[in-house]
Structures are given as structure tokens and as C-alpha cells.
Amino acid sequence: MKLKCDVHTHTLYSRHAYSTILENVAAAKEAGLELLGSTDHFSAMLYPDYENVRHYQYLMVSHTWPKEIQGVRVLQGCEVDIVDMEGNLFGFDIPIWKNIDGDFYNDGKKMSLYERVCKKMDYCIASVHRNSFAKGESASACTKLYLEAMKHPKILILGHIGRSGLPFEIDPVLLAAKEQHVLIEINEHSMDEGSETKKRCEAIAVRCAELGVPISVSSDAHIALRIGEFSKVESLLERIHFPEELIMTRDKESFLRYMKKAGLG
């Protein structure tokens, strides 16, 4: 099966990625994709003075991009970090009253950095990168972390949970994701992270199949050359006979329909 969506990709904005949005779109078209999701990092990893709202202009106005470029449907999102054991997301505790010009927002609303940045996005991916906050925590506590993270508005995908390094309980997370219409990501980049990570990803994929949990397959590309590259995940899914109907990134219509089901369409 040829997958036609790549919904976890990065541009130069992520700082350790190397292509522009137009280079990514061109690569998506070349790869025969119907839909591209641009999901740069929204995280403390970007800037040391991460409370400055001006750093996030790129993300905050990405909704102004054309919805279709070169025949490819383009969605705007971000990959936001889960930052603590309560499942809070980056920026949740940073109140933002003023815009990038230094003027107070006309709406007069007290909103967090997370809310300001993500409110106009199509969807967000919630991922764990820095996991030191969970050192020594139990599997049940890490499970609760994911359960809480899924409750935040805009979260459509749990990112690369197979390489988070957290000892969470698989079934409760997958069943909650199914109930709340959150996709479990099977990530191509994770296939390069060593045998233990690959085993973990396979175990998650197998349980998704057994429990009927929808997934997204993504490249996590940090350079345009890897847009639409899913060969290792495709090989895994073929080997375990994963049901095609549970892959929501199989085509544009399936992904957009699932977004609507999740209340994001």
C-alpha cells in the first residue's frame, strides 16, 4: 500500500531541520503525497529565553499559508512537548498578554503561550523529548501523563511513544486514544533508534491492530529528502498484517475525515 499523507514533518524553524516549507511541499509532490502536515517543534529546545512570544511568530501565523500548494493539501500544526508528570504541554504556564508588537491583545483574554500559539492550528502532536522529569517514575504515573496530555485541545496525535523512554502501560494509553480520537504515531525516524526502540514500536503497533486503535504513519522528516519516507514502518506493518483501515494517513480523505471526527475539521 502506498501511503499518501505525511503529517509529522519539520522545516528550518525547528533549528535542527534543514528545509523550507516550499522545499517540503515540492518533495511531497515528488513523492506522490496528497497531504503534508508541517509540525515544527514548539518546545524549550528552540530558544533559551523561551518565554518571549516573538520567537513563535512563524508558528502563530502559519494558518495564513495557502491550504493547497502545488496540488498538495497543506495542514499547519506543531509538535508540542509534554513537559511534566501531569501531562502539561509546553507553554501552559506562560501567560501572554501582549502580541509581537508589544501591544495588549484586543481580545483582552488571559491565555497561555500554548493557547496563543496553537489556537489557529489545524492540529498538534504531543511528544516527549526531554524525559528527565520522569526519572524514577512508575509505569502507572507515566501512563497517567499520556492520558492527561491527550485531553488538551488540538492534540490529534501522540508522537513517537515507542521511543519516549517512558515505562508506560500500553493498553490503557491505546484504549484512551481510541476513545478520544487521538492517533498513535508509528514513526519512521524511530526505526533508526536501536533494537529496543524498534521492539517497543512493534509491540505498540501489534496492540493497536489487536485493539482496533487508529494510527498515523509519519516520516518525522527534518530534511525535504525524507518527506514521504516510510519504508521501514511499511515493512513492519506488512509483516504484522496491520489492518489498512486503521491507518488514517493512508490517503487525504481518511486523514481529513478523522480530523473532523476528532472535532478539528
Side-chain angles (χ1 to χ4, degrees):
M1 179 182 62
K2 168 65 176 174
L3 301 179
K4 296 182 179 180
C5 304
D6 196 349
V7 296
H8 182 168
T9 66
H10 297 269
T11 73
L12 281 165
Y13 175 79
S14 287
R15 304 195 77 176
H16 57 276
Y18 301 93
S19 304
T20 67
I21 181 60
L22 291 182
E23 288 169 336
N24 283 354
V25 168
K29 182 178 181 179
E30 179 68 21
L33 300 184
E34 300 174 341
L35 183 148
L36 177 73
S38 189
T39 54
D40 280 299
H41 288 292
F42 179 39
S43 164
M45 74 174 74
L46 296 180
Y47 302 97
D49 55 334
Y50 54 80
E51 295 185 1
N52 188 338
V53 70
R54 291 180 176 87
H55 290 319
Y56 308 104
Q57 297 177 59
Y58 179 95
L59 294 174
M60 294 173 78
V61 299
S62 61
H63 65 279
T64 63
W65 297 352
K67 295 301 181 184
E68 185 172 303
I69 304 174
Q70 298 181 32
V72 177
R73 179 74 164 92
V74 178
L75 297 177
Q76 295 78 27
C78 70
E79 183 182 17
V80 58
D81 277 12
I82 303 171
V83 297
D84 60 26
M85 294 306 299
E86 287 69 51
N88 287 309
L89 304 176
F90 176 73
F92 83 99
D93 57 350
I94 303 173
I96 299 297
W97 293 98
K98 295 182 179 181
N99 61 26
I100 59 175
D101 296 318
D103 293 331
F104 285 99
Y105 279 99
N106 292 331
D107 57 24
K109 295 180 180 178
K110 180 181 178 181
M111 297 178 70
S112 68
L113 179 63
Y114 167 74
E115 292 169 319
R116 288 288 182 194
V117 169
C118 298
K119 66 176 184 176
K120 293 186 179 181
M121 288 185 170
D122 294 309
Y123 67 96
C124 297
I125 302 169
S127 301
V128 172
H129 289 99
R130 181 186 66 84
N131 61 14
S132 57
F133 64 81
K135 185 177 181 179
E137 295 286 351
S138 67
S140 61
C142 292
T143 300
K144 181 182 177 183
L145 173 158
Y146 277 126
L147 299 182
E148 293 301 316
M150 282 188 272
K151 296 178 182 178
H152 292 283
K154 297 287 184 177
I155 298 303
L156 180 66
I157 299 170
L158 283 186
H160 49 67
I161 61 176
R163 63 177 165 95
S164 67
L166 302 184
F168 65 92
E169 299 161 344
I170 293 177
D171 281 16
V173 171
L174 300 191
L175 290 171
K178 181 180 180 180
E179 181 179 354
Q180 297 179 45
H181 306 303
V182 173
L183 296 171
I184 299 297
E185 180 184 67
I186 308 297
N187 180 293
E188 180 75 12
H189 181 53
S190 298
M191 299 295 105
D192 298 325
E193 294 294 311
S195 59
E196 289 306 312
T197 295
K198 286 190 282 189
K199 288 179 183 176
R200 183 73 162 166
C201 292
E202 179 170 344
I204 291 167
V206 168
R207 286 304 283 158
C208 283
E210 293 171 344
L211 297 172
V213 178
I215 68 169
S216 66
V217 175
S218 297
S219 68
D220 197 357
H222 284 63
I223 190 168
L225 297 172
R226 294 184 178 174
I227 297 289
E229 175 53 57
F230 318 118
S231 59
K232 294 175 183 177
V233 174
E234 287 173 333
S235 177
L236 164 63
L237 298 180
E238 182 178 355
R239 177 161 48 83
I240 66 174
H241 305 290
F242 194 90
E244 180 178 327
E245 64 271 17
L246 292 178
I247 306 173
M248 294 301 108
T249 50
R250 63 185 183 272
D251 54 47
K252 177 177 66 174
E253 288 74 22
S254 296
F255 190 75
L256 293 177
R257 184 165 57 246
Y258 195 86
M259 283 184 62
K260 287 184 178 180
K261 193 174 183 180
L264 295 174

